[in-house]
DNA sequence: ATAACAGCGTTATACTTTTCACAATTATAG
DNA sequence: CTATAATTGTGAAAAGTATAACGCTGTTAT
């Protein structure tokens, strides 16, 4: 069965909400509560859970711990996924800081940059390697996911090197569409697009609300 | 007429592709060329253009300059939109550097932080103000769009202050859903979600391609 | 000229995703 | 133990998106 992309996105959010509840000692949660927190409908939440098979109980809801574990297993594999980060500039460093120690089975295990000054350093617990060493490091660290944070002109060649070295999932921060084979999944995170989208709909909403 | 969110996203991409072509001296482009570059079908491209009314010509395609101008006007208003950035930490600074000088009518005009050491400084051409001055600065700079890059615990209160001060469009980098009135448009940029989505589909694709 | 072709604009069709609605299930109170 | 109320799981309907199809327009070649 093919899980819709939107469902996967929401699952990621539900997982964090469940995590937060666990921290607060909340042992169970209803679909309508998750719905309110996530900003969706309760049907949507239950429908999304059909894809992961997590079961709730009428009048009791979903067990927070089970829910978190269920989503976790569904999203990320049972054995931890290694992640590589290419391009340790302004954004790369921020990303590294952000993910450091955050997600137990989705860890940035190696960084790559072409700047000789950065190679060999350890930033936020992560070693920076030369891009020449990409293939061997990815193999030895069992890395199959990568984050691209290099200047746009180098994004495509970086993607190709990564794929060559066995990567089949990429988060791309460079503002260019990547040309990749069909068995590689790419998510483009595009700040310009986000801002322009907001600019557009903010304006539309103003017009609507003024009528 | 309501433009689908996905269409708006693609338009942002087409605009940049048109921009790039202009730089390369390419005066016109066919829908199937844009389609290939954007990774969509040519029908999709022509369909998307129906929303902005941009016209092409059989056998000639779309005039690159007209196309760029048309999308520009559709996405962002004719009079430049002012943008505020709240939270000048690792991510905030990277974002500021990224947008600086990039987009003529979508400019970050004011930054806000609560750290006294940062207030008063000018970073990438942008003055950092105290959050106390938010309402007055937003009014005087005619800002109605904001980027939130404060720690998650402060995201909701920051959103409320911004909305209070007249903002009706927000790009939210904090990994929490914001609770906002219906006339405010929010786009959540969620790195964790992106990475988990990639982890999920990368794994699925591997399984599929192994069959 | 005009035939042959290429590509746009749009309508119709197919597909995907969300919402609705309700039977089945479980907790709780009397 | 039974009635009541609350909440789940899911089929069916609706809404939202993407693709296909095709008439029309403009270009090129003969
Ligand atoms: N800064 C932001 O907030 C932001 C936002 C959205 C997108 N982006 C995009 O992310 C990318 C990086 O942005 P940045 O602001 O960090 O830029 P940056 O210039 O600060 O950093 C780029 C880094 O990549 C390294 N690099 C260059 N070529 C390389 C190569 N071929 N292989 C490996 N490393 C290489 C450089 O040495 C540098 O460390 C750019 O494509 C940018 O458009 C940045
Ligand atoms: N660093 C990343 O790559 C990254 C990625 C995704 C999301 N985020 C999110 O973006 C936000 C910022 O991340 P960061 O890494 O820049 O954090 P950071 O700690 O480096 O920076 C936070 C900044 O916000 C300021 N601040 C704190 N409270 C404030 C308030 N109430 N009003 C105004 N300013 C305030 C701080 O003074 C600081 O300058 C966080 O919510 C984080 O989860 C960061």
């Amino acid at each position: 069965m093919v899980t819709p992309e939107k469902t996967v996105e929401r699952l990621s959010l539900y997982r964090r909400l469940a995590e937060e509840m666990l921290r607060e000692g909340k042992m169970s949660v209803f679909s309508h509560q998750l719905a309110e927190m996530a900003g969706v409908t309760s049907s949507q939440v239950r429908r999304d859970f059909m894809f992961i098979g997590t079961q709730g109980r009428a009048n009791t809801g979903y067990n927070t711990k089970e829910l978190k574990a269920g989503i976790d297993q569904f999203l990320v594999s049972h054995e931890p996924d290694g992640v590589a980060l290419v391009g340790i500039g302004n954004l790369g460093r921020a990303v590294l800081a952000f993910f450091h120690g955050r997600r137990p089975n989705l860890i940035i295990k190696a960084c790559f940059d072409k700047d000789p000054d950065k190679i060999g350093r350890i930033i936020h617990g992560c070693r920076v390697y030369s891009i020449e060493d990409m293939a061997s490091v990815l193999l030895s660290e069992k890395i199959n996911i990568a984050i691209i944070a290099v200047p746009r002109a180098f994004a495509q060649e970086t993607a190709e090197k990564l794929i060559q070295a066995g990567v089949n999932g990429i988060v791309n921060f460079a503002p260019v569409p990547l040309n990749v084979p069909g068995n590689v999944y790419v998510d483009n995170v595009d700040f310009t697009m986000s801002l322009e989208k907001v600019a557009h709909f903010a304006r539309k909403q103003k017009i609507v609300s003024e009528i």
Side-chain angles (χ1 to χ4, degrees), chain A:
Chain A
M1 183 170 30
V2 183
T3 315
E5 206 163 295
K6 284 278 179 68
T7 291
V8 174
E9 294 181 2
R10 285 188 297 264
L11 285 169
S12 168
L13 179 53
Y14 303 149
R15 187 186 57 72
R16 262 171 298 165
L17 292 171
E19 215 165 53
E20 206 175 311
M21 284 174 191
L22 263 182
R23 273 199 299 272
E24 291 168 1
K26 224 167 165 266
M27 291 314 289
S28 68
V29 63
F30 297 127
S31 60
H32 68 262
Q33 296 176 310
L34 280 167
E36 181 168 2
M37 290 183 282
V40 298
T41 65
S42 63
S43 315
Q44 181 80 84
V45 171
R46 296 198 299 277
R47 171 73 56 192
D48 287 338
F49 288 172
M50 283 181 70
F51 289 97
I52 55 173
T54 300
Q55 301 248 324
R57 299 180 58 181
N59 249 313
T60 309
Y62 300 86
N63 178 288
T64 340
K65 205 167 166 181
E66 259 178 44
L67 180 61
K68 177 182 166 323
I71 300 178
D72 233 330
Q73 193 181 84
F74 179 80
L75 288 180
V76 184
S77 91
H78 14 283
E79 41 201 297
D81 276 317
V83 180
L85 170 61
V86 191
I88 318 295
N90 290 317
L91 183 63
R93 275 192 307 269
V95 167
L96 197 51
F98 177 71
F99 281 115
H100 187 241
R102 185 170 291 256
R103 196 78 180 69
N105 41 355
L106 208 50
I107 296 170
I108 299 183
K109 291 203 172 153
C111 299
F112 298 91
D113 203 292
K114 75 166 181 190
D115 181 349
D117 292 348
K118 287 173 183 155
I119 295 166
R121 286 174 52 192
I122 292 179
I123 306 179
H124 295 293
C126 191
R127 175 93 179 263
V128 182
Y129 297 92
S130 158
I131 46 177
E132 258 89 73
D133 301 332
M134 194 179 276
S136 64
V137 175
L138 263 54
L139 189 68
S140 68
E141 295 281 0
K142 291 197 172 59
I143 290 171
N144 71 313
I145 292 170
I147 300 171
I148 293 182
V150 301
R152 37 176 278 150
F154 303 105
Q156 180 64 37
E157 61 174 70
T158 299
E160 284 163 17
K161 277 182 199 144
L162 286 165
I163 293 165
Q164 189 69 38
V167 160
N168 66 338
I170 297 175
V171 178
N172 176 37
F173 283 100
V176 275
L178 300 178
N179 213 315
V180 301
N183 64 332
V184 178
Y185 183 86
V186 178
D187 186 49
N188 292 298
V189 182
D190 186 335
F191 289 26
T192 306
M193 196 208 72
S194 289
L195 188 59
E196 289 184 345
K197 194 165 66 166
V198 167
H200 174 76
F201 286 113
R203 186 153 58 101
K204 287 282 145 170
Q205 302 222 343
K206 195 193 282 175
I207 292 163
V208 169
S209 64
E210 273 169 2
I211 289 168

